[in-house]
């Protein structure tokens, strides 16, 4: 063979010269797909067992392949297996090492298989594990929120719409809103898992294979719940990865919204929380500062995950069936999204668990110093038969005159109230006290303490049965 580089070509004898070194680097995915190595080994072991099971190779050959592959796993774990660019990708690297270890029989591993169904299988095995891990992390995140919520049922916090004070809330209710988002994220990943958990192995390059393989056998060995029905689809589908990136993006949306709130809450203007030293940093120039780096980074990293989703959608949209090398580009997007989501969930869980404290007195003062009980005055009148819209207009006027006089609603005298409308009685003061205002919103799913206690109980039951539908 006429080699122009020192490395022999990986390809058949159709090729006369080796790759240009820059093209070899350009083409190689070993730099990042090495992350798949253990999945690649596991997938190859299942394939080797199936080849022996179906008589395509002998039982003894099958055993040799499985053992050799196991040895590569150990070498990798001990840090001795570090293939370079010349191996091109993890699949070829493992196969090459296997042949070094077990001799000629190593060359039989790739019978009835293509890297196309192989990489697709590896990616699914990888993602299955990562999804499980993220679901465990989501449960931890939820349980930290739940613990915090339990401590703060009767702590009040201003509720906002348009970032304007709207109506006071139980702090627990606010926290449980994030619990619910986490619940949907957890459920969504469970649904996606079902579609990730299908085996494309045995699809071959694109059309299946001439060998009498048993796809159900490998699927079973790898704990897949089924097999792809169509070989073309099996090698070229990346819906499962896109779905995962959608779910990952939504997790990030939720974490980012919480982050934004925490950043606001930690500001001097809000002053609702203090960040502890373990979870905040100082400024290199302004000694008074304590910066909310953790939520800021989570908010910032959100963009990366969205970018990966967009990247993969665009990657797929113009691809003719079946495999195209473009698909190699799915991996870094997926890996980075997984790493980012896992890191953000971990950091936010730590931040909530031990990195911050609510300022109860400041929160108490906040709900007492605004007009967020104005709706309750209107409701008070409406409950006494005044049409709501009329009551609403009247209270608007009261707010306007009170503002002009530098007063709050609780500062109006009973005579002033009665002068506004004869339906007002002494119980108006009770009706507009923040704790009453919150307690009164006792509609299902509302912030009333009774509702919040019920919601806490439901939330607890949900996460204590966490594995019931896994
Ligand atoms: N490294 C490749 C990838 O990640 C493996 C599949 C290569 N298949 C091929 N026909 N060149 O997509």
């Amino acid at each position: 063979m006429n080699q122009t580089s020192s490395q022999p070509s990986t390809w058949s004898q159709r090729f006369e010269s080796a790759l240009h070194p820059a093209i070899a680097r350009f083409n190689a995915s070993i730099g990042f797909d090495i992350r798949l190595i253990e999945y690649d080994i596991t997938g190859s072991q299942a394939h080797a067992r199936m080849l022996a099971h179906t008589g395509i190779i002998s039982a003894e050959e099958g055993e040799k392949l499985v053992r050799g592959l196991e040895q590569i796993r150990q070498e990798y774990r001990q840090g001795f297996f570090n293939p370079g660019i010349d191996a091109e990708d993890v699949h070829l690297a493992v196969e090459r090492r296997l042949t070094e270890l077990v001799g000629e029989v190593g060359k039989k591993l790739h019978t009835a298989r293509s890297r196309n169904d192989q990489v697709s299988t590896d990616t699914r095995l990888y993602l299955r594990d990562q999804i499980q891990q993220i679901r465990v992390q989501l449960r931890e995140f939820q349980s930290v929120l739940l613990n915090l919520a339990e401590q703060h049922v009767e702590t009040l916090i201003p509720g906002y719409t348009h970032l304007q004070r709207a109506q006071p809330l139980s702090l627990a209710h606010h926290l449980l809103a994030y619990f619910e988002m986490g619940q949907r994220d957890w459920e969504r990943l469970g649904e996606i898992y079902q579609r990730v958990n299908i085996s494309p192995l045995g699809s071959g390059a694109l059309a299946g294979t001439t060998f009498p393989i048993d796809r159900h056998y490998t699927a079973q060995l790898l704990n897949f719940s089924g097999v792809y029905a169509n070989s073309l689809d099996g090698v070229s589908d990346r819906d499962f990865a896109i779905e995962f990136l959608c779910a990952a993006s939504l997790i990030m949306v939720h974490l980012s919204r919480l982050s934004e709130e925490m950043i606001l809450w930690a500001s001097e203007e809000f002053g609702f929380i203090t960040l502890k030293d373990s979870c905040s940093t100082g400024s290199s120039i302004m000694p008074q500062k304590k910066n909310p780096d953790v939520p800021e980074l989570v908010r910032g990293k959100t963009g990366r995950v969205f970018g990966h989703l967009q990247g993969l959608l665009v990657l797929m949209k113009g691809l003719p069936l079946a495999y195209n090398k473009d698909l190699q580009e799915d991996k870094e997007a997926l890996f980075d999204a997984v790493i980012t989501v896992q890191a953000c969930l971990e950091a936010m869980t730590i931040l909530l668990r031990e990195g911050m404290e609510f300022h109860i007195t400041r929160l108490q003062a906040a709900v007492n110093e605004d007009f967020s009980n104005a709706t309750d005055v209107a409701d008070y009148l409406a409950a006494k038969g005044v049409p709501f819209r009329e009551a609403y207009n009247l209270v608007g006027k009261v707010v306007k005159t009170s503002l002009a006089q530098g007063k709050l609603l609780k500062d109006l005298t009973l005579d002033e109230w009665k002068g506004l409308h004869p339906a007002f009685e002494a119980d108006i003061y009770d009706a507009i006290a923040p704790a009453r205002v919150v307690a009164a919103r006792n509609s299902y799913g509302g912030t009333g303490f009774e509702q919040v206690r019920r919601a806490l109980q439901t939330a607890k039951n949900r996460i204590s049965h966490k594995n019931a539908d896994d």
Side-chain angles (χ1 to χ4, degrees):
M1 236 170 31
N2 174 19
Q3 295 285 347
T4 56
S5 114
S6 55
Q7 284 302 330
S9 169
T10 307
W11 314 121
S12 72
Q13 304 215 351
R14 173 185 168 164
F15 285 80
E16 292 187 351
S17 65
L19 272 178
H20 184 289
I23 300 300
R25 281 197 301 278
F26 185 67
N27 201 38
S29 53
I30 187 76
F32 48 88
D33 65 16
I34 188 72
R35 191 179 286 276
L36 295 177
I37 185 164
E38 297 228 15
Y39 303 103
D40 194 73
I41 290 171
T42 304
S44 287
Q45 288 175 325
H47 180 67
R49 289 201 168 99
M50 181 279 292
L51 290 177
H53 174 76
T54 51
I56 298 170
I57 61 174
S58 71
E60 195 190 321
E61 287 173 325
E63 258 317 298
K64 270 196 188 154
L65 294 175
V66 170
R67 271 205 307 272
L69 286 161
E70 201 50 36
Q71 190 172 337
I72 301 174
R73 193 196 299 277
Q74 296 316 321
E75 288 179 357
Y76 175 73
R77 287 189 182 172
Q78 287 156 16
F80 302 138
F81 184 60
N82 303 298
I85 290 289
D86 56 299
E88 189 180 320
D89 62 22
V90 67
H91 325 294
L92 293 172
V94 169
E95 195 184 327
R96 187 186 284 181
R97 180 67 185 140
L98 183 64
T99 304
E100 283 169 15
L101 288 173
V102 302
E104 285 298 291
V105 64
K107 295 182 182 169
K108 292 199 172 182
L109 175 66
H110 214 49
T111 314
R113 189 178 67 168
S114 154
R115 280 185 298 158
N116 298 350
D117 55 345
Q118 190 178 353
V119 69
S120 188
T121 305
D122 293 2
T123 311
R124 284 168 175 83
L125 292 175
Y126 160 83
L127 197 54
R128 243 176 29 178
D129 269 8
Q130 305 310 317
I131 288 177
Q132 297 286 34
Q133 192 183 320
I134 294 171
R135 292 185 94 208
V136 170
Q137 288 187 290
L138 280 167
R139 280 304 196 214
E140 282 167 17
F141 173 67
Q142 286 184 290
S143 74
V144 170
L145 283 166
L146 190 58
N147 283 343
L148 264 181
E150 274 181 317
Q151 294 162 36
H152 291 294
V153 174
E154 294 192 11
T155 306
L156 306 187
I157 185 170
Y160 297 81
T161 62
H162 312 268
L163 201 57
Q164 306 286 320
R165 295 269 180 103
Q167 289 166 355
L169 300 168
S170 150
L171 176 53
H173 192 56
H174 195 118
L175 295 166
L176 286 177
Y178 286 102
F179 177 97
E180 292 295 326
M181 295 175 223
Q183 179 66 23
R184 288 194 297 278
D185 289 330
W186 183 86
E187 286 170 10
R188 198 171 358 256
L189 280 180
E191 290 151 17
I192 292 171
Y193 185 92
Q194 307 299 320
R195 283 182 293 277
V196 173
N197 197 23
I198 306 288
S199 175
L201 192 57
S203 295
L206 75 166
T209 172
T210 55
F211 290 93
I213 58 169
D214 186 343
R215 293 189 57 205
H216 298 277
Y217 187 76
T218 43
Q220 211 179 353
L221 288 179
L222 294 169
N223 288 318
F224 280 117
S225 68
V227 300
Y228 268 76
N230 181 299
S231 62
L232 285 170
D233 188 36
V235 289
S236 52
D237 169 34
R238 294 293 182 275
D239 298 6
F240 71 96
I242 294 178
E243 274 193 87
F244 170 78
L245 290 174
C246 285
S249 295
L250 283 170
I251 294 173
M252 293 305 296
V253 168
H254 298 151
L255 293 181
S256 188
R257 294 186 75 179
L258 177 57
S259 295
E260 172 69 13
E261 295 209 298
M262 292 178 83
I263 293 162
L264 288 171
W265 290 348
S267 70
E268 207 155 326
E269 284 69 12
F270 279 77
F272 293 172
I273 58 172
T274 326
L275 297 174
K276 299 218 185 135
D277 294 356
S278 61
C279 286
S280 56
T281 59
S283 153
S284 56
I285 169 167
M286 296 165 281
Q288 83 283 11
K289 290 194 71 189
K290 216 173 186 192
N291 296 329
D293 292 38
V294 173
E296 286 176 302
L297 276 172
V298 170
R299 191 177 57 182
K301 284 174 189 289
T302 301
R304 283 165 76 143
V305 178
F306 293 1
H308 296 316
L309 169 61
Q310 184 68 9
L312 203 47
L313 284 168
V314 176
L315 173 73
M316 294 303 294
K317 75 175 273 294
L319 292 188
L321 293 181
Y323 179 85
N324 299 269
K325 189 71 172 225
D326 313 43
L327 291 175
Q328 180 164 288
E329 291 290 309
D330 65 354
K331 278 165 219 64
E332 285 161 293
L334 200 57
F335 297 162
D336 188 68
V338 164
I339 291 166
T340 305
V341 168
Q342 290 172 345
C344 290
L345 273 170
E346 182 183 30
M348 285 300 274
T349 302
I350 294 172
L351 182 62
L352 289 170
R353 191 196 298 131
E354 58 202 78
M356 52 152 281
E357 236 166 15
F358 282 101
H359 257 191
I360 311 291
T361 45
R362 171 73 194 116
L363 286 166
Q364 179 107 37
V367 292
N368 273 302
E369 69 193 15
D370 61 21
F371 287 90
S372 62
N373 49 4
T375 321
D376 300 84
V377 179
D379 285 355
Y380 175 96
L381 286 179
K384 298 204 168 187
V386 181
F388 180 80
R389 189 54 65 205
E390 196 181 306
Y392 165 89
N393 284 330
L394 185 126
V395 180
K397 242 187 283 167
V398 183
V399 170
K400 190 172 162 187
T401 50
S402 304
L403 272 173
Q405 296 165 9
K407 280 187 185 172
L408 292 167
L409 295 177
K410 64 176 182 208
D411 302 326
L412 268 67
T413 64
L414 188 55
D415 280 349
E416 285 173 309
W417 282 117
K418 283 190 178 295
L420 289 160
H421 198 287
F424 284 117
E425 289 172 53
D427 60 354
I428 181 63
Y429 295 103
D430 241 10
I432 61 172
R436 269 293 294 275
V437 165
V438 173
R441 292 207 158 67
N442 202 28
S443 52
Y444 187 90
T447 193
F449 302 124
E450 211 178 293
Q451 288 300 318
V452 172
R453 290 207 173 87
R454 181 197 51 74
L456 273 172
Q457 195 48 52
T458 314
K460 245 193 249 177
N461 294 343
R462 269 176 177 168
I463 61 173
S464 63
H465 299 307
K466 62 178 175 233
N467 293 319
D469 56 347
D470 269 352

